[in-house]
Amino acid sequence: MKAELLVFPVLALIALFADPSSSIRLPDRTPAFTASDDRRPLKTAVFALGCFWRSEAVFGCLPGVVRTTVGYSGGSALNPTYKRIRDHAEVVQVEYDPKIVQFRQLLDVFWTSHDPTEVFGQGPDVGDRYRSIIFTNGTGETRMAAVSKEKQQAKIRSNIVTTQIQELGMFYAAETEHQKFELKHNPQLFQLLGFMPAEELQRSSLAMKLNSYAAELCPPDVQSRIDAKINNILDKEWPVLKDI
């Protein structure tokens, strides 16, 4: 990217992903979310698989995933925060369209995206807040989770899968600074969104996908196509947005 391009207008962002001939299409920026804006019958899944900064990026590029939100769940303490998480785990809430992706497929991504045999953390992240949990809504999901855990255990054999299966209780959204963390820490990419309000950023499908792209967790072909689109728009030298 060209460092001298500091801020891009929303028009540039729309053009970036507006080519209908491409096999990967990221949604355009939309107004701030209201309850009536999205009438699709979405479902929600919640997973704990280590640090939620990365966990959110794991699911953001999946077809059918509409929104992701990081937060806290799995404990009994009220109103946890990042500094006072107490008995909760860091989790990611995934809102998805069941006509496109199924809970079973999300489970597959969950298992392949962390080490479920670690007891007290994930990699360099040590602590109970990083434990592995599948949260379920109802007996159907609980059975699917149990079967998937048995299959995972059969694959590993040498170690015990420590992942918990737990009925979902309260989900507490994390503080704003933890949402879309990978995207926010890629300044040049983040500038493609212009001055998007924090609430809109948190619920934006486009920001979700760019967050996964920033973490390099999209499939290789998707990463390459987004690379090409970004380079193309930068080569056209869109004007810098000087005021709003």
Side-chain angles (χ1 to χ4, degrees), residues 72-121:
Y72 316 106
S73 195
S76 58
L78 298 177
N79 303 315
T81 65
Y82 189 77
K83 292 184 177 180
R84 296 192 64 194
I85 193 170
R86 290 171 279 191
D87 58 346
H88 289 277
E90 292 190 13
V91 304
V92 57
Q93 176 181 268
V94 180
E95 295 177 67
Y96 64 99
D97 185 342
K99 293 183 179 179
I100 300 175
V101 64
Q102 299 293 318
F103 181 68
R104 188 175 289 104
Q105 293 169 288
L106 298 180
L107 286 173
D108 291 341
V109 174
F110 168 82
W111 292 119
T112 58
S113 299
H114 76 302
D115 182 354
T117 67
E118 291 201 33
V119 178
F120 201 63

mmCIF file of all heavy atoms in Angstrom, residues 72-121:
data_model
loop_
_atom_site.group_PDB
_atom_site.id
_atom_site.type_symbol
_atom_site.label_atom_id
_atom_site.label_comp_id
_atom_site.label_asym_id
_atom_site.label_seq_id
_atom_site.Cartn_x
_atom_site.Cartn_y
_atom_site.Cartn_z
ATOM 1 N N TYR A 72 -17.292 -12.050 26.733
ATOM 2 C CA TYR A 72 -16.997 -12.909 27.873
ATOM 3 C C TYR A 72 -18.211 -13.780 28.178
ATOM 4 O O TYR A 72 -19.357 -13.321 28.136
ATOM 5 C CB TYR A 72 -16.659 -12.064 29.109
ATOM 6 C CG TYR A 72 -15.721 -10.913 28.806
ATOM 7 C CD1 TYR A 72 -16.186 -9.599 28.759
ATOM 8 C CD2 TYR A 72 -14.369 -11.136 28.535
ATOM 9 C CE1 TYR A 72 -15.333 -8.541 28.466
ATOM 10 C CE2 TYR A 72 -13.509 -10.086 28.233
ATOM 11 C CZ TYR A 72 -14.000 -8.793 28.202
ATOM 12 O OH TYR A 72 -13.159 -7.750 27.896
ATOM 13 N N SER A 73 -17.957 -15.049 28.509
ATOM 14 C CA SER A 73 -19.038 -15.956 28.873
ATOM 15 C C SER A 73 -18.436 -17.167 29.574
ATOM 16 O O SER A 73 -17.219 -17.333 29.628
ATOM 17 C CB SER A 73 -19.824 -16.392 27.624
ATOM 18 O OG SER A 73 -21.049 -16.984 27.984
ATOM 19 N N GLY A 74 -19.312 -18.001 30.115
ATOM 20 C CA GLY A 74 -18.861 -19.244 30.732
ATOM 21 C C GLY A 74 -18.710 -19.199 32.232
ATOM 22 O O GLY A 74 -18.438 -20.220 32.858
ATOM 23 N N GLY A 75 -18.879 -18.021 32.832
ATOM 24 C CA GLY A 75 -18.737 -17.893 34.277
ATOM 25 C C GLY A 75 -20.031 -17.436 34.927
ATOM 26 O O GLY A 75 -21.065 -17.297 34.269
ATOM 27 N N SER A 76 -19.955 -17.173 36.218
ATOM 28 C CA SER A 76 -21.139 -16.752 36.967
ATOM 29 C C SER A 76 -21.075 -15.292 37.416
ATOM 30 O O SER A 76 -22.093 -14.721 37.811
ATOM 31 C CB SER A 76 -21.318 -17.640 38.204
ATOM 32 O OG SER A 76 -20.166 -17.571 39.038
ATOM 33 N N ALA A 77 -19.902 -14.683 37.356
ATOM 34 C CA ALA A 77 -19.748 -13.298 37.806
ATOM 35 C C ALA A 77 -20.503 -12.349 36.880
ATOM 36 O O ALA A 77 -20.568 -12.560 35.667
ATOM 37 C CB ALA A 77 -18.276 -12.918 37.858
ATOM 38 N N LEU A 78 -21.067 -11.304 37.453
ATOM 39 C CA LEU A 78 -21.817 -10.329 36.674
ATOM 40 C C LEU A 78 -20.893 -9.267 36.083
ATOM 41 O O LEU A 78 -19.903 -8.871 36.701
ATOM 42 C CB LEU A 78 -22.879 -9.657 37.549
ATOM 43 C CG LEU A 78 -23.959 -10.567 38.149
ATOM 44 C CD1 LEU A 78 -24.883 -9.763 39.054
ATOM 45 C CD2 LEU A 78 -24.749 -11.268 37.050
ATOM 46 N N ASN A 79 -21.231 -8.834 34.883
ATOM 47 C CA ASN A 79 -20.565 -7.705 34.227
ATOM 48 C C ASN A 79 -19.035 -7.808 34.212
ATOM 49 O O ASN A 79 -18.335 -6.912 34.694
ATOM 50 C CB ASN A 79 -20.989 -6.397 34.898
ATOM 51 C CG ASN A 79 -22.490 -6.201 34.874
ATOM 52 O OD1 ASN A 79 -23.135 -6.418 33.853
ATOM 53 N ND2 ASN A 79 -23.058 -5.804 36.008
ATOM 54 N N PRO A 80 -18.497 -8.877 33.641
ATOM 55 C CA PRO A 80 -17.036 -8.993 33.552
ATOM 56 C C PRO A 80 -16.461 -7.958 32.597
ATOM 57 O O PRO A 80 -17.153 -7.464 31.698
ATOM 58 C CB PRO A 80 -16.837 -10.411 33.008
ATOM 59 C CG PRO A 80 -18.089 -10.678 32.224
ATOM 60 C CD PRO A 80 -19.185 -9.999 32.989
ATOM 61 N N THR A 81 -15.204 -7.635 32.783
ATOM 62 C CA THR A 81 -14.477 -6.741 31.887
ATOM 63 C C THR A 81 -13.147 -7.405 31.546
ATOM 64 O O THR A 81 -12.785 -8.436 32.126
ATOM 65 C CB THR A 81 -14.211 -5.373 32.542
ATOM 66 O OG1 THR A 81 -13.338 -5.561 33.670
ATOM 67 C CG2 THR A 81 -15.507 -4.719 32.995
ATOM 68 N N TYR A 82 -12.402 -6.799 30.640
ATOM 69 C CA TYR A 82 -11.119 -7.383 30.253
ATOM 70 C C TYR A 82 -10.167 -7.462 31.442
ATOM 71 O O TYR A 82 -9.453 -8.446 31.614
ATOM 72 C CB TYR A 82 -10.492 -6.557 29.130
ATOM 73 C CG TYR A 82 -9.278 -7.207 28.515
ATOM 74 C CD1 TYR A 82 -9.410 -8.266 27.620
ATOM 75 C CD2 TYR A 82 -7.994 -6.763 28.822
ATOM 76 C CE1 TYR A 82 -8.303 -8.870 27.049
ATOM 77 C CE2 TYR A 82 -6.877 -7.361 28.253
ATOM 78 C CZ TYR A 82 -7.041 -8.412 27.374
ATOM 79 O OH TYR A 82 -5.936 -9.015 26.813
ATOM 80 N N LYS A 83 -10.172 -6.428 32.276
ATOM 81 C CA LYS A 83 -9.276 -6.405 33.428
ATOM 82 C C LYS A 83 -9.823 -7.200 34.608
ATOM 83 O O LYS A 83 -9.060 -7.639 35.471
ATOM 84 C CB LYS A 83 -9.003 -4.960 33.850
ATOM 85 C CG LYS A 83 -8.175 -4.182 32.833
ATOM 86 C CD LYS A 83 -7.850 -2.781 33.333
ATOM 87 C CE LYS A 83 -6.969 -2.038 32.332
ATOM 88 N NZ LYS A 83 -6.640 -0.660 32.795
ATOM 89 N N ARG A 84 -11.134 -7.389 34.639
ATOM 90 C CA ARG A 84 -11.762 -8.143 35.727
ATOM 91 C C ARG A 84 -12.692 -9.193 35.125
ATOM 92 O O ARG A 84 -13.907 -9.156 35.293
ATOM 93 C CB ARG A 84 -12.533 -7.212 36.661
ATOM 94 C CG ARG A 84 -11.663 -6.196 37.393
ATOM 95 C CD ARG A 84 -12.444 -5.510 38.498
ATOM 96 N NE ARG A 84 -12.841 -6.461 39.530
ATOM 97 C CZ ARG A 84 -13.756 -6.194 40.474
ATOM 98 N NH1 ARG A 84 -14.376 -5.035 40.489
ATOM 99 N NH2 ARG A 84 -14.063 -7.108 41.382
ATOM 100 N N ILE A 85 -12.089 -10.142 34.434
ATOM 101 C CA ILE A 85 -12.872 -11.173 33.754
ATOM 102 C C ILE A 85 -13.376 -12.233 34.729
ATOM 103 O O ILE A 85 -14.342 -12.929 34.465
ATOM 104 C CB ILE A 85 -12.034 -11.819 32.627
ATOM 105 C CG1 ILE A 85 -12.917 -12.662 31.716
ATOM 106 C CG2 ILE A 85 -10.869 -12.615 33.191
ATOM 107 C CD1 ILE A 85 -12.210 -13.139 30.459
ATOM 108 N N ARG A 86 -12.682 -12.378 35.845
ATOM 109 C CA ARG A 86 -13.038 -13.322 36.905
ATOM 110 C C ARG A 86 -13.186 -14.746 36.360
ATOM 111 O O ARG A 86 -12.231 -15.256 35.790
ATOM 112 C CB ARG A 86 -14.262 -12.813 37.658
ATOM 113 C CG ARG A 86 -13.911 -11.579 38.505
ATOM 114 C CD ARG A 86 -15.108 -10.906 39.105
ATOM 115 N NE ARG A 86 -15.780 -10.039 38.162
ATOM 116 C CZ ARG A 86 -16.723 -9.170 38.487
ATOM 117 N NH1 ARG A 86 -17.113 -9.060 39.743
ATOM 118 N NH2 ARG A 86 -17.278 -8.418 37.573
ATOM 119 N N ASP A 87 -14.356 -15.391 36.495
ATOM 120 C CA ASP A 87 -14.442 -16.811 36.121
ATOM 121 C C ASP A 87 -14.919 -17.033 34.685
ATOM 122 O O ASP A 87 -15.214 -18.161 34.292
ATOM 123 C CB ASP A 87 -15.354 -17.569 37.089
ATOM 124 C CG ASP A 87 -16.772 -17.007 37.156
ATOM 125 O OD1 ASP A 87 -16.993 -15.886 36.664
ATOM 126 O OD2 ASP A 87 -17.653 -17.687 37.713
ATOM 127 N N HIS A 88 -14.964 -15.985 33.891
ATOM 128 C CA HIS A 88 -15.406 -16.117 32.498
ATOM 129 C C HIS A 88 -14.234 -16.454 31.572
ATOM 130 O O HIS A 88 -13.067 -16.350 31.959
ATOM 131 C CB HIS A 88 -16.071 -14.822 32.031
ATOM 132 C CG HIS A 88 -17.400 -14.573 32.661
ATOM 133 N ND1 HIS A 88 -18.566 -15.132 32.201
ATOM 134 C CD2 HIS A 88 -17.742 -13.817 33.754
ATOM 135 C CE1 HIS A 88 -19.580 -14.733 32.959
ATOM 136 N NE2 HIS A 88 -19.103 -13.939 33.910
ATOM 137 N N ALA A 89 -14.573 -16.839 30.349
ATOM 138 C CA ALA A 89 -13.580 -17.077 29.299
ATOM 139 C C ALA A 89 -13.732 -16.012 28.220
ATOM 140 O O ALA A 89 -14.805 -15.425 28.059
ATOM 141 C CB ALA A 89 -13.776 -18.462 28.687
ATOM 142 N N GLU A 90 -12.655 -15.758 27.501
ATOM 143 C CA GLU A 90 -12.736 -14.896 26.322
ATOM 144 C C GLU A 90 -13.413 -15.694 25.210
ATOM 145 O O GLU A 90 -13.008 -16.825 24.912
ATOM 146 C CB GLU A 90 -11.344 -14.454 25.876
ATOM 147 C CG GLU A 90 -10.660 -13.516 26.850
ATOM 148 C CD GLU A 90 -9.388 -12.898 26.283
ATOM 149 O OE1 GLU A 90 -9.171 -12.994 25.055
ATOM 150 O OE2 GLU A 90 -8.614 -12.325 27.073
ATOM 151 N N VAL A 91 -14.440 -15.114 24.595
ATOM 152 C CA VAL A 91 -15.224 -15.847 23.602
ATOM 153 C C VAL A 91 -15.478 -14.983 22.374
ATOM 154 O O VAL A 91 -15.289 -13.762 22.390
ATOM 155 C CB VAL A 91 -16.579 -16.311 24.189
ATOM 156 C CG1 VAL A 91 -16.366 -17.140 25.453
ATOM 157 C CG2 VAL A 91 -17.496 -15.120 24.489
ATOM 158 N N VAL A 92 -15.930 -15.645 21.311
ATOM 159 C CA VAL A 92 -16.398 -14.926 20.126
ATOM 160 C C VAL A 92 -17.817 -15.390 19.828
ATOM 161 O O VAL A 92 -18.115 -16.583 19.826
ATOM 162 C CB VAL A 92 -15.478 -15.159 18.907
ATOM 163 C CG1 VAL A 92 -15.333 -16.636 18.575
ATOM 164 C CG2 VAL A 92 -15.999 -14.396 17.689
ATOM 165 N N GLN A 93 -18.689 -14.423 19.628
ATOM 166 C CA GLN A 93 -20.068 -14.705 19.226
ATOM 167 C C GLN A 93 -20.155 -14.589 17.707
ATOM 168 O O GLN A 93 -19.746 -13.579 17.130
ATOM 169 C CB GLN A 93 -21.022 -13.710 19.883
ATOM 170 C CG GLN A 93 -22.477 -13.868 19.459
ATOM 171 C CD GLN A 93 -23.368 -12.841 20.124
ATOM 172 O OE1 GLN A 93 -23.934 -13.083 21.183
ATOM 173 N NE2 GLN A 93 -23.488 -11.660 19.524
ATOM 174 N N VAL A 94 -20.679 -15.625 17.075
ATOM 175 C CA VAL A 94 -20.756 -15.698 15.616
ATOM 176 C C VAL A 94 -22.223 -15.703 15.199
ATOM 177 O O VAL A 94 -22.971 -16.613 15.562
ATOM 178 C CB VAL A 94 -20.055 -16.973 15.095
ATOM 179 C CG1 VAL A 94 -20.137 -17.043 13.571
ATOM 180 C CG2 VAL A 94 -18.610 -17.027 15.567
ATOM 181 N N GLU A 95 -22.640 -14.692 14.461
ATOM 182 C CA GLU A 95 -23.991 -14.655 13.906
ATOM 183 C C GLU A 95 -23.904 -15.131 12.462
ATOM 184 O O GLU A 95 -23.123 -14.588 11.669
ATOM 185 C CB GLU A 95 -24.560 -13.242 13.979
ATOM 186 C CG GLU A 95 -24.761 -12.745 15.413
ATOM 187 C CD GLU A 95 -25.248 -11.311 15.459
ATOM 188 O OE1 GLU A 95 -26.383 -11.058 15.021
ATOM 189 O OE2 GLU A 95 -24.478 -10.445 15.922
ATOM 190 N N TYR A 96 -24.708 -16.136 12.126
ATOM 191 C CA TYR A 96 -24.569 -16.758 10.816
ATOM 192 C C TYR A 96 -25.921 -17.099 10.202
ATOM 193 O O TYR A 96 -26.936 -17.228 10.897
ATOM 194 C CB TYR A 96 -23.704 -18.015 10.914
ATOM 195 C CG TYR A 96 -24.287 -19.141 11.755
ATOM 196 C CD1 TYR A 96 -24.951 -20.213 11.157
ATOM 197 C CD2 TYR A 96 -24.163 -19.142 13.143
ATOM 198 C CE1 TYR A 96 -25.476 -21.247 11.922
ATOM 199 C CE2 TYR A 96 -24.681 -20.175 13.912
ATOM 200 C CZ TYR A 96 -25.341 -21.223 13.299
ATOM 201 O OH TYR A 96 -25.866 -22.249 14.055
ATOM 202 N N ASP A 97 -25.900 -17.232 8.884
ATOM 203 C CA ASP A 97 -27.089 -17.591 8.118
ATOM 204 C C ASP A 97 -27.102 -19.113 7.961
ATOM 205 O O ASP A 97 -26.263 -19.667 7.241
ATOM 206 C CB ASP A 97 -27.042 -16.908 6.749
ATOM 207 C CG ASP A 97 -28.307 -17.132 5.931
ATOM 208 O OD1 ASP A 97 -29.071 -18.064 6.251
ATOM 209 O OD2 ASP A 97 -28.521 -16.382 4.959
ATOM 210 N N PRO A 98 -28.034 -19.821 8.613
ATOM 211 C CA PRO A 98 -28.035 -21.289 8.558
ATOM 212 C C PRO A 98 -28.351 -21.856 7.178
ATOM 213 O O PRO A 98 -28.168 -23.051 6.947
ATOM 214 C CB PRO A 98 -29.119 -21.668 9.578
ATOM 215 C CG PRO A 98 -30.018 -20.476 9.638
ATOM 216 C CD PRO A 98 -29.126 -19.286 9.438
ATOM 217 N N LYS A 99 -28.797 -20.996 6.256
ATOM 218 C CA LYS A 99 -29.022 -21.466 4.891
ATOM 219 C C LYS A 99 -27.710 -21.590 4.121
ATOM 220 O O LYS A 99 -27.657 -22.222 3.070
ATOM 221 C CB LYS A 99 -29.965 -20.508 4.152
ATOM 222 C CG LYS A 99 -31.390 -20.506 4.700
ATOM 223 C CD LYS A 99 -32.281 -19.586 3.882
ATOM 224 C CE LYS A 99 -33.714 -19.600 4.409
ATOM 225 N NZ LYS A 99 -34.592 -18.688 3.619
ATOM 226 N N ILE A 100 -26.663 -20.957 4.657
ATOM 227 C CA ILE A 100 -25.370 -20.962 3.969
ATOM 228 C C ILE A 100 -24.334 -21.788 4.717
ATOM 229 O O ILE A 100 -23.554 -22.528 4.112
ATOM 230 C CB ILE A 100 -24.861 -19.516 3.782
ATOM 231 C CG1 ILE A 100 -25.862 -18.713 2.949
ATOM 232 C CG2 ILE A 100 -23.480 -19.507 3.124
ATOM 233 C CD1 ILE A 100 -25.514 -17.249 2.816
ATOM 234 N N VAL A 101 -24.303 -21.661 6.031
ATOM 235 C CA VAL A 101 -23.332 -22.403 6.838
ATOM 236 C C VAL A 101 -24.057 -23.006 8.037
ATOM 237 O O VAL A 101 -24.981 -22.404 8.591
ATOM 238 C CB VAL A 101 -22.174 -21.474 7.289
ATOM 239 C CG1 VAL A 101 -22.667 -20.359 8.200
ATOM 240 C CG2 VAL A 101 -21.061 -22.268 7.962
ATOM 241 N N GLN A 102 -23.654 -24.198 8.420
ATOM 242 C CA GLN A 102 -24.303 -24.919 9.508
ATOM 243 C C GLN A 102 -23.426 -24.922 10.762
ATOM 244 O O GLN A 102 -22.207 -24.743 10.693
ATOM 245 C CB GLN A 102 -24.590 -26.362 9.079
ATOM 246 C CG GLN A 102 -25.511 -26.480 7.875
ATOM 247 C CD GLN A 102 -26.925 -26.001 8.175
ATOM 248 O OE1 GLN A 102 -27.473 -26.282 9.240
ATOM 249 N NE2 GLN A 102 -27.513 -25.263 7.236
ATOM 250 N N PHE A 103 -24.060 -25.148 11.903
ATOM 251 C CA PHE A 103 -23.340 -25.223 13.178
ATOM 252 C C PHE A 103 -22.241 -26.280 13.115
ATOM 253 O O PHE A 103 -21.140 -26.093 13.637
ATOM 254 C CB PHE A 103 -24.324 -25.540 14.305
ATOM 255 C CG PHE A 103 -23.697 -25.608 15.671
ATOM 256 C CD1 PHE A 103 -23.188 -24.469 16.285
ATOM 257 C CD2 PHE A 103 -23.613 -26.815 16.357
ATOM 258 C CE1 PHE A 103 -22.609 -24.526 17.553
ATOM 259 C CE2 PHE A 103 -23.042 -26.883 17.620
ATOM 260 C CZ PHE A 103 -22.542 -25.739 18.217
ATOM 261 N N ARG A 104 -22.516 -27.375 12.428
ATOM 262 C CA ARG A 104 -21.530 -28.453 12.305
ATOM 263 C C ARG A 104 -20.263 -27.966 11.600
ATOM 264 O O ARG A 104 -19.146 -28.354 11.955
ATOM 265 C CB ARG A 104 -22.158 -29.622 11.540
ATOM 266 C CG ARG A 104 -21.316 -30.885 11.510
ATOM 267 C CD ARG A 104 -22.063 -32.023 10.833
ATOM 268 N NE ARG A 104 -23.169 -32.527 11.650
ATOM 269 C CZ ARG A 104 -24.456 -32.264 11.425
ATOM 270 N NH1 ARG A 104 -24.808 -31.492 10.405
ATOM 271 N NH2 ARG A 104 -25.388 -32.775 12.202
ATOM 272 N N GLN A 105 -20.430 -27.106 10.608
ATOM 273 C CA GLN A 105 -19.267 -26.562 9.894
ATOM 274 C C GLN A 105 -18.486 -25.584 10.771
ATOM 275 O O GLN A 105 -17.252 -25.525 10.703
ATOM 276 C CB GLN A 105 -19.730 -25.870 8.613
ATOM 277 C CG GLN A 105 -20.316 -26.831 7.585
ATOM 278 C CD GLN A 105 -21.002 -26.099 6.455
ATOM 279 O OE1 GLN A 105 -22.077 -25.527 6.611
ATOM 280 N NE2 GLN A 105 -20.362 -26.094 5.294
ATOM 281 N N LEU A 106 -19.196 -24.828 11.592
ATOM 282 C CA LEU A 106 -18.514 -23.935 12.527
ATOM 283 C C LEU A 106 -17.696 -24.743 13.531
ATOM 284 O O LEU A 106 -16.599 -24.331 13.929
ATOM 285 C CB LEU A 106 -19.528 -23.057 13.260
ATOM 286 C CG LEU A 106 -20.361 -22.101 12.393
ATOM 287 C CD1 LEU A 106 -21.327 -21.308 13.268
ATOM 288 C CD2 LEU A 106 -19.472 -21.159 11.598
ATOM 289 N N LEU A 107 -18.219 -25.897 13.925
ATOM 290 C CA LEU A 107 -17.472 -26.775 14.827
ATOM 291 C C LEU A 107 -16.169 -27.239 14.176
ATOM 292 O O LEU A 107 -15.125 -27.308 14.839
ATOM 293 C CB LEU A 107 -18.318 -27.991 15.208
ATOM 294 C CG LEU A 107 -19.464 -27.759 16.194
ATOM 295 C CD1 LEU A 107 -20.308 -29.028 16.329
ATOM 296 C CD2 LEU A 107 -18.934 -27.331 17.557
ATOM 297 N N ASP A 108 -16.220 -27.559 12.893
ATOM 298 C CA ASP A 108 -15.006 -27.986 12.186
ATOM 299 C C ASP A 108 -13.942 -26.893 12.229
ATOM 300 O O ASP A 108 -12.754 -27.170 12.451
ATOM 301 C CB ASP A 108 -15.335 -28.330 10.731
ATOM 302 C CG ASP A 108 -16.178 -29.594 10.597
ATOM 303 O OD1 ASP A 108 -16.201 -30.397 11.554
ATOM 304 O OD2 ASP A 108 -16.821 -29.766 9.542
ATOM 305 N N VAL A 109 -14.363 -25.649 12.017
ATOM 306 C CA VAL A 109 -13.428 -24.523 12.063
ATOM 307 C C VAL A 109 -12.884 -24.353 13.480
ATOM 308 O O VAL A 109 -11.689 -24.109 13.682
ATOM 309 C CB VAL A 109 -14.116 -23.231 11.584
ATOM 310 C CG1 VAL A 109 -13.200 -22.024 11.774
ATOM 311 C CG2 VAL A 109 -14.525 -23.363 10.124
ATOM 312 N N PHE A 110 -13.748 -24.492 14.461
ATOM 313 C CA PHE A 110 -13.339 -24.398 15.867
ATOM 314 C C PHE A 110 -12.210 -25.377 16.179
ATOM 315 O O PHE A 110 -11.171 -25.001 16.735
ATOM 316 C CB PHE A 110 -14.559 -24.678 16.754
ATOM 317 C CG PHE A 110 -14.243 -24.899 18.212
ATOM 318 C CD1 PHE A 110 -14.059 -23.823 19.063
ATOM 319 C CD2 PHE A 110 -14.142 -26.184 18.736
ATOM 320 C CE1 PHE A 110 -13.772 -24.020 20.414
ATOM 321 C CE2 PHE A 110 -13.861 -26.396 20.078
ATOM 322 C CZ PHE A 110 -13.671 -25.306 20.921
ATOM 323 N N TRP A 111 -12.373 -26.635 15.798
ATOM 324 C CA TRP A 111 -11.374 -27.655 16.136
ATOM 325 C C TRP A 111 -10.045 -27.417 15.437
ATOM 326 O O TRP A 111 -8.978 -27.669 16.014
ATOM 327 C CB TRP A 111 -11.900 -29.044 15.777
ATOM 328 C CG TRP A 111 -13.041 -29.523 16.614
ATOM 329 C CD1 TRP A 111 -14.303 -29.848 16.190
ATOM 330 C CD2 TRP A 111 -13.040 -29.749 18.032
ATOM 331 N NE1 TRP A 111 -15.080 -30.242 17.249
ATOM 332 C CE2 TRP A 111 -14.334 -30.194 18.388
ATOM 333 C CE3 TRP A 111 -12.076 -29.607 19.032
ATOM 334 C CZ2 TRP A 111 -14.682 -30.504 19.703
ATOM 335 C CZ3 TRP A 111 -12.425 -29.913 20.341
ATOM 336 C CH2 TRP A 111 -13.704 -30.356 20.665
ATOM 337 N N THR A 112 -10.090 -26.940 14.211
ATOM 338 C CA THR A 112 -8.847 -26.775 13.454
ATOM 339 C C THR A 112 -8.132 -25.460 13.751
ATOM 340 O O THR A 112 -7.036 -25.232 13.235
ATOM 341 C CB THR A 112 -9.120 -26.853 11.937
ATOM 342 O OG1 THR A 112 -10.072 -25.844 11.570
ATOM 343 C CG2 THR A 112 -9.673 -28.226 11.558
ATOM 344 N N SER A 113 -8.732 -24.613 14.591
ATOM 345 C CA SER A 113 -8.173 -23.279 14.815
ATOM 346 C C SER A 113 -7.501 -23.104 16.169
ATOM 347 O O SER A 113 -7.088 -21.995 16.515
ATOM 348 C CB SER A 113 -9.280 -22.223 14.662
ATOM 349 O OG SER A 113 -9.826 -22.267 13.357
ATOM 350 N N HIS A 114 -7.400 -24.168 16.957
ATOM 351 C CA HIS A 114 -6.696 -24.084 18.239
ATOM 352 C C HIS A 114 -6.325 -25.492 18.685
ATOM 353 O O HIS A 114 -6.691 -26.483 18.043
ATOM 354 C CB HIS A 114 -7.550 -23.378 19.293
ATOM 355 C CG HIS A 114 -8.665 -24.207 19.862
ATOM 356 N ND1 HIS A 114 -9.664 -24.773 19.092
ATOM 357 C CD2 HIS A 114 -8.942 -24.575 21.145
ATOM 358 C CE1 HIS A 114 -10.501 -25.443 19.869
ATOM 359 N NE2 HIS A 114 -10.081 -25.345 21.116
ATOM 360 N N ASP A 115 -5.589 -25.582 19.780
ATOM 361 C CA ASP A 115 -5.192 -26.875 20.334
ATOM 362 C C ASP A 115 -6.124 -27.216 21.494
ATOM 363 O O ASP A 115 -5.985 -26.659 22.591
ATOM 364 C CB ASP A 115 -3.744 -26.815 20.820
ATOM 365 C CG ASP A 115 -3.252 -28.159 21.356
ATOM 366 O OD1 ASP A 115 -4.070 -29.102 21.445
ATOM 367 O OD2 ASP A 115 -2.057 -28.260 21.690
ATOM 368 N N PRO A 116 -7.081 -28.121 21.285
ATOM 369 C CA PRO A 116 -8.055 -28.430 22.331
ATOM 370 C C PRO A 116 -7.514 -29.310 23.452
ATOM 371 O O PRO A 116 -8.247 -29.650 24.382
ATOM 372 C CB PRO A 116 -9.160 -29.158 21.561
ATOM 373 C CG PRO A 116 -8.439 -29.839 20.447
ATOM 374 C CD PRO A 116 -7.333 -28.900 20.054
ATOM 375 N N THR A 117 -6.240 -29.678 23.372
ATOM 376 C CA THR A 117 -5.661 -30.507 24.434
ATOM 377 C C THR A 117 -4.926 -29.680 25.486
ATOM 378 O O THR A 117 -4.517 -30.219 26.515
ATOM 379 C CB THR A 117 -4.683 -31.548 23.846
ATOM 380 O OG1 THR A 117 -3.546 -30.872 23.291
ATOM 381 C CG2 THR A 117 -5.358 -32.383 22.771
ATOM 382 N N GLU A 118 -4.746 -28.392 25.221
ATOM 383 C CA GLU A 118 -4.069 -27.554 26.210
ATOM 384 C C GLU A 118 -4.993 -27.324 27.401
ATOM 385 O O GLU A 118 -6.192 -27.088 27.244
ATOM 386 C CB GLU A 118 -3.638 -26.229 25.585
ATOM 387 C CG GLU A 118 -2.520 -26.398 24.557
ATOM 388 C CD GLU A 118 -1.759 -25.110 24.321
ATOM 389 O OE1 GLU A 118 -1.625 -24.320 25.260
ATOM 390 O OE2 GLU A 118 -1.307 -24.902 23.179
ATOM 391 N N VAL A 119 -4.408 -27.360 28.590
ATOM 392 C CA VAL A 119 -5.208 -27.342 29.809
ATOM 393 C C VAL A 119 -5.431 -25.938 30.342
ATOM 394 O O VAL A 119 -6.524 -25.593 30.789
ATOM 395 C CB VAL A 119 -4.544 -28.213 30.904
ATOM 396 C CG1 VAL A 119 -5.356 -28.159 32.192
ATOM 397 C CG2 VAL A 119 -4.405 -29.648 30.421
ATOM 398 N N PHE A 120 -4.428 -25.098 30.285
ATOM 399 C CA PHE A 120 -4.508 -23.815 30.983
ATOM 400 C C PHE A 120 -4.091 -22.670 30.070
ATOM 401 O O PHE A 120 -3.254 -21.852 30.410
ATOM 402 C CB PHE A 120 -3.619 -23.861 32.231
ATOM 403 C CG PHE A 120 -3.987 -22.843 33.275
ATOM 404 C CD1 PHE A 120 -5.216 -22.867 33.899
ATOM 405 C CD2 PHE A 120 -3.086 -21.849 33.628
ATOM 406 C CE1 PHE A 120 -5.550 -21.927 34.863
ATOM 407 C CE2 PHE A 120 -3.409 -20.898 34.592
ATOM 408 C CZ PHE A 120 -4.649 -20.945 35.213
ATOM 409 N N GLY A 121 -4.686 -22.630 28.880
ATOM 410 C CA GLY A 121 -4.377 -21.548 27.963
ATOM 411 C C GLY A 121 -4.216 -22.042 26.544
ATOM 412 O O GLY A 121 -4.527 -23.192 26.220
#
